Amino acid sequence: AGRAWGSRGMEGAAGSCRAPLPAWCGLLRGLLLAVLAAGSCQGNSVERKIYIPLNKTAPCVRLLNATHQIGCQSSISGDTGVIHVVEKEEDLNWVLADGPHPPYMILLDGSLFNRRVMLQLKGTSRVSGLAVTVAKPSPPQGFSPGLKCPNDGFGVYSKDYGPQFAHCNKTVWNPVGSGLSYEDFDFPIFLLEDANETQVIKQCYQDHNVPRDGSGPEYPLCAMQLFSHMHAVTSTVTCMRRSSLQSTFSINPEVVCDPLLDYNVWSTLQPINSSGKVDPEKEVIIVATRIDSHSFFWNIAPGAESAVSSFVTHLAAAEALHKVSDVHLLQRNIMFTFFQGETFDYIGSSRMVYDMEKDKFPLRLDNIHSFVELNQVALRNDSILWMHTDPVSRMNESVEVQVRNLLDILSNSSVGASVTLQEAGYSQPLPPSSFQRFLRARHIPGVVLTDHKTAFQNRYYQSMYDTPENIRMQYPEGLSPEETLEYVTDTAKSLAEVATVVARALYRLAGGANNTSAIQADPKTVSRMLYGFLIKMNNSWFQSIIKPDIKGILGDVPQHYVAVSSPVNTTYLVQYVLANLTGTVVNLTKEECLNPDKTPSSEKEMYEYAWVQGSLDPNSTSRVPYCVRSTVHLSKALSPAFELRQWGSTEYSTWTESRWKEIRARIFLVASKELEIITLVVGIAILIFSLLATYFINAKADVLFSIPRDPGAVAY
């Protein structure tokens, strides 16, 4: 608007200045042109000169359930504070008591990011926000912002079922859990992911904010501003009701929160009609694992031990079984299941059980012969894998017989392997596991395999430090990305051994009678999966096995948070890795593969077809695509509470994520209050002077801008 007004003013002035021009009129026009040019060229760069944006950050966001809100948020216009670097606990005194320039924006060393420090900061108005650095190396004492009793209240144990095991009374599974992720903070907290940006902030602090001789630093001071205002408040009940009312009565509804949702991935060893129902007499063994993780910060969920180690082992076992020649003759079918959203009160497994009960899934609960779940399996002591069972259901004699048979088959399958399977104990309850949701519905014989007998071996459960280093993945120096992808680590060999034992046991459990020594998981496949799911998703193998239209999902750093937009990257990749490892390449054209209904022999109800990119042609830059036929399917992983509109449910997960307008962080220099007031007063004075000058010029325009007559022109 200013530029438009200026253009019109310039045209008016120029219009009055016609030849012959007085010198001052030409000067005026030149001055106007120069001012306008300078304003248009430099106006956009003012912000860049004032602010330094922080582009590699991860915020803490607000999540809600039936009764609480957790997480963090800023005020609607962002929160600002003078930066103070806290590298040891003594540095907190300046922030909490001594510093003369509150509120402070703390740059907190990752080693101090713990419950004790955070609760101190939560209880003061002198803190406006936090920027947290990543501790390197990971805190040796462990760090888990999750709960000591994960998913408490949503498993099988309650006052009505095994009350002695409810609320982790018998075993505290996550003793290092601080519950920090489940606190509610009224100021923004960001993670700084880039060491260079962290150094820029520290340098700004050193240059401007370091106290001199015990007294406060002089202005200007280095400050930080964090934006992470959340739209949802109070609980899922409140935010879903508001969103529902908006959707009902508003033309442009403003939704304030969304349910956490995604898709479960599942496939079967022998194909079944995915749109029909399995014969009631047909028995199916379910093999399950979770594929999601979580941490304090949004979409920072590496989950190396808590999720990736188990689902990679599961995928390797599925591949090994599909290579067996007589799987089509097995008495029982095997279903490979990968649950999403399990971190948040068993979203995926509770939905599958609900669908089975409501006849919305090909299987019914009655079809389930037994249940084998892979939990955390990478951090074994002395190569021991522990077998956990439910002591309550085993009181039933028929269940006890089946469970004992299952344990014997698993133990015998480990004979001669470098993995030893041991029973955790009859009086030991099940650890947090998807199997618990199935037990809530029906007494099913089952076992959960873990690397821990009691408390987790994982000291970084549900944290940003559950990284490849946590499961001891190591690579030689100097390898190229392609060489790293193919390099077989000791971790990969170890997990391949577990996958081998599981695959052999499943073969026996399904009724296989042949020798199982040929059933062997491939360490090279495990290495590729660990690299792709933990280090770099955008690698040549993942590129070759996905559809061309979803190649954009291949980011650099893998994260396994369930989120609210679905399917997430992890779900897609598990789907296509499973299809690649267990499916068959079929000789179909692209059109036939994309439209199998038009191909008479496709058996569309039994199989899924995918036209994938394929590998790069060695002699060109183009790919060689092909069609994969598999039994891999997706099923919805949305809590039944949202299907039933029971937002206050205590039976099902009710987790939602708040919406927000913008997430950003920046630093800048801030002047003293006195200087700001002086600047404001001077600005107002200049404005008043400008208005008066404009009024005066406008009133005298006919005198100031009149064109003198040519003396030679005489009128007669």
Side-chain angles (χ1 to χ4, degrees):
R3 286 195 296 271
W5 181 91
S7 298
R8 288 195 297 270
M10 185 182 70
E11 288 169 4
S16 300
C17 298
R18 292 187 176 89
L21 290 175
W24 62 267
C25 194
L27 184 62
L28 174 63
R29 183 168 65 176
L31 182 61
L32 283 170
L33 287 169
V35 169
L36 290 172
S40 62
C41 294
Q42 297 181 12
N44 293 332
S45 66
V46 171
E47 183 174 355
R48 290 198 299 270
K49 289 183 177 180
I50 296 174
Y51 300 104
I52 299 176
L54 305 174
N55 299 316
K56 291 284 288 180
T57 61
C60 160
V61 303
R62 176 168 289 167
L63 300 174
L64 309 98
N65 65 9
T67 55
H68 292 81
Q69 64 180 30
I70 64 172
C72 323
Q73 77 153 355
S74 73
S75 62
I76 195 167
S77 57
D79 287 330
T80 304
V82 174
I83 295 172
H84 190 74
V85 175
V86 175
E87 296 179 329
K88 53 187 184 297
E89 284 204 45
E90 292 75 24
D91 296 336
L92 288 172
N93 294 332
W94 185 267
V95 172
L96 299 176
D98 301 337
H101 306 299
Y104 284 96
M105 194 67 70
I106 298 175
L107 178 60
L108 187 68
D109 189 89
S111 61
L112 294 176
F113 185 56
N114 56 55
R115 184 178 182 85
R116 186 182 69 258
V117 170
M118 291 303 296
L119 291 185
Q120 286 185 65
L121 302 178
K122 185 178 179 180
T124 177
S125 60
R126 290 174 60 88
V127 174
S128 59
L130 263 76
V132 181
T133 63
V134 179
K136 293 184 179 180
S138 301
Q141 72 277 13
F143 174 75
S144 172
L147 298 171
K148 292 183 183 295
C149 190
N151 292 359
D152 185 25
F154 290 87
V156 69
Y157 302 114
S158 66
K159 61 183 177 61
D160 302 317
Y161 187 100
Q164 68 273 30
F165 305 124
H167 312 300
C168 296
N169 286 335
K170 182 76 175 181
T171 306
V172 177
W173 296 106
N174 186 30
V176 298
S178 65
L180 197 58
S181 288
Y182 296 84
E183 291 287 335
D184 182 38
F185 296 92
D186 60 359
F187 51 76
I189 304 176
F190 279 51
L191 177 69
L192 299 175
E193 299 181 78
D194 188 343
N196 292 328
E197 288 188 344
T198 302
Q199 192 54 46
V200 168
I201 299 170
K202 287 185 176 180
Q203 189 60 53
C204 187
Y205 168 79
Q206 291 289 337
D207 293 343
H208 299 279
N209 293 14
V210 174
R212 310 293 179 189
D213 302 322
S215 61
E218 300 274 333
Y219 283 99
L221 298 174
C222 191
M224 183 184 295
Q225 189 172 30
L226 302 179
F227 297 84
S228 63
H229 180 68
M230 300 289 132
H231 294 175
V233 294
T234 309
S235 67
T236 288
V237 176
T238 301
C239 78
M240 289 299 292
R241 183 177 66 245
R242 289 177 179 174
S243 296
S244 179
L245 288 171
Q246 284 272 344
S247 301
T248 304
F249 297 109
S250 176
I251 298 175
N252 297 308
E254 183 181 341
V255 177
V256 295
C257 68
D258 301 282
L260 297 182
L261 71 125
D262 204 75
Y263 288 89
N264 298 322
V265 182
W266 64 276
S267 74
T268 52
L269 193 61
Q270 301 163 356
I272 63 172
N273 187 341
S274 61
S275 58
K277 290 287 178 290
V278 173
D279 191 285
E281 283 74 44
K282 182 66 176 176
E283 293 183 320
V284 178
I285 301 158
I286 291 185
V287 194
T289 191
R290 68 175 59 190
I291 58 175
D292 69 298
S293 187
H294 180 45
S295 81
F296 186 87
F297 298 100
W298 183 75
N299 207 29
I300 300 294
E305 161 73 339
S306 60
V308 177
S309 68
S310 55
F311 75 69
V312 161
T313 304
H314 188 170
L315 288 164
E319 180 192 34
L321 273 171
H322 271 268
K323 290 179 179 177
V324 179
S325 58
D326 63 336
V327 290
H328 61 288
L329 302 174
L330 293 177
Q331 176 187 347
R332 302 181 184 96
N333 203 349
I334 299 174
M335 178 172 149
F336 306 101
T337 314
F338 301 82
F339 291 121
Q340 260 289 14
E342 295 301 274
T343 302
F344 295 95
D345 300 335
Y346 306 119
I347 293 173
S349 55
S350 63
R351 180 53 186 258
M352 184 171 284
V353 171
Y354 174 83
D355 287 344
M356 287 181 175
E357 291 176 322
K358 302 298 181 184
D359 280 344
K360 297 179 179 180
F361 195 79
L363 267 66
R364 301 176 180 88
L365 290 169
D366 291 340
N367 292 115
I368 301 175
H369 169 268
S370 51
F371 199 104
V372 177
E373 180 170 351
L374 287 161
N375 213 308
Q376 304 178 73
V377 295
L379 298 176
R380 302 189 305 279
N381 278 337
D382 301 323
S383 297
I384 297 174
L385 205 60
W386 295 97
M387 300 181 290
H388 299 263
T389 57
D390 173 40
V392 180
S393 61
R394 289 180 68 178
M395 293 178 185
N396 180 298
E397 190 175 340
S398 64
V399 173
E400 167 63 18
V401 171
Q402 291 173 287
V403 170
R404 178 49 54 192
N405 178 57
L406 176 56
L407 294 172
D408 290 342
I409 289 174
L410 281 163
S411 297
N412 294 335
S413 298
S414 68
V415 174
S418 62
V419 179
T420 304
L421 272 75
Q422 292 186 18
E423 189 176 352
Y426 187 85
S427 61
Q428 177 80 20
L430 287 169
S433 52
S434 306
F435 179 40
Q436 293 199 31
R437 291 301 303 193
F438 284 80
L439 278 176
R440 283 176 73 127
R442 184 173 177 270
H443 281 180
I444 298 170
V447 62
V448 178
L449 302 178
T450 74
D451 55 20
H452 55 88
K453 182 179 181 181
T454 53
F456 295 162
Q457 295 279 7
N458 185 6
R459 295 172 299 151
Y460 305 109
Y461 182 74
Q462 289 186 7
S463 91
M464 56 187 170
Y465 300 113
D466 191 6
T467 57
E469 291 76 20
N470 186 34
I471 59 172
R472 302 160 190 156
M473 281 177 62
Q474 295 179 336
Y475 294 93
E477 295 280 344
L479 294 183
S480 67
E482 203 63 29
E483 291 169 335
T484 310
L485 172 68
E486 302 294 338
Y487 182 81
V488 180
T489 61
D490 290 339
T491 302
K493 294 174 186 175
S494 174
L495 293 179
E497 285 283 351
V498 176
T500 297
V501 170
V502 171
R504 291 174 179 177
L506 291 172
Y507 176 78
R508 286 280 184 232
L509 200 58
N514 293 338
N515 191 298
T516 59
S517 59
I519 301 176
Q520 186 73 43
D522 185 1
K524 187 174 182 180
T525 301
V526 176
S527 283
R528 286 178 162 189
M529 289 191 286
L530 288 174
Y531 179 80
F533 285 113
L534 286 175
I535 297 175
K536 188 176 182 182
M537 279 187 170
N538 195 10
N539 62 73
S540 60
W541 185 47
F542 278 5
Q543 289 168 7
S544 69
I545 64 175
I546 64 171
K547 291 181 177 180
D549 58 339
I550 62 167
K551 60 186 178 182
I553 68 170
L554 296 177
D556 276 338
V557 182
Q559 304 296 347
H560 307 293
Y561 173 61
V562 58
V564 296
S565 57
S566 58
V568 295
N569 302 8
T570 305
T571 303
Y572 270 131
L573 289 170
V574 168
Q575 177 189 6
Y576 286 104
V577 168
L578 184 59
N580 177 268
L581 298 180
T582 63
T584 306
V585 177
V586 290
N587 188 23
L588 295 178
T589 64
K590 181 178 180 180
E591 289 68 31
E592 292 171 333
C593 189
L594 295 176
N595 301 285
D597 293 330
K598 299 178 182 178
T599 307
S601 59
S602 67
E603 297 181 285
K604 178 68 174 72
E605 67 280 358
M606 307 292 282
Y607 296 101
E608 292 286 333
Y609 292 81
W611 184 258
V612 300
Q613 290 194 120
S615 302
L616 284 170
D617 189 322
N619 300 319
S620 72
T621 56
S622 61
R623 295 185 176 274
V624 184
Y626 56 91
C627 186
V628 175
R629 185 186 72 184
S630 71
T631 61
V632 180
H633 306 277
L634 298 180
S635 66
K636 191 177 288 186
L638 169 66
S639 172
F642 298 100
E643 199 93 343
L644 300 168
R645 296 176 67 86
Q646 296 176 358
W647 303 318
S649 173
T650 56
E651 170 73 12
Y652 299 113
S653 170
T654 55
W655 285 105
T656 54
E657 180 185 273
S658 174
R659 289 196 178 186
W660 57 81
K661 185 177 181 180
E662 62 175 345
I663 298 286
R664 61 191 175 102
R666 59 190 185 181
I667 64 172
F668 57 96
L669 293 181
V670 63
S672 66
K673 293 294 181 185
E674 292 79 5
L675 181 58
E676 289 179 347
I677 292 171
I678 291 171
T679 305
L680 177 63
V681 170
V682 171
I684 293 172
I686 292 173
L687 174 63
I688 294 171
F689 175 78
S690 301
L691 292 173
L692 291 173
T694 303
Y695 174 78
F696 172 75
I697 292 171
N698 187 56
K700 302 295 182 179
D702 55 336
V703 177
L704 294 172
F705 299 106
S706 62
I707 302 174
R709 292 190 175 196
D710 187 347
V714 180
Y716 294 96

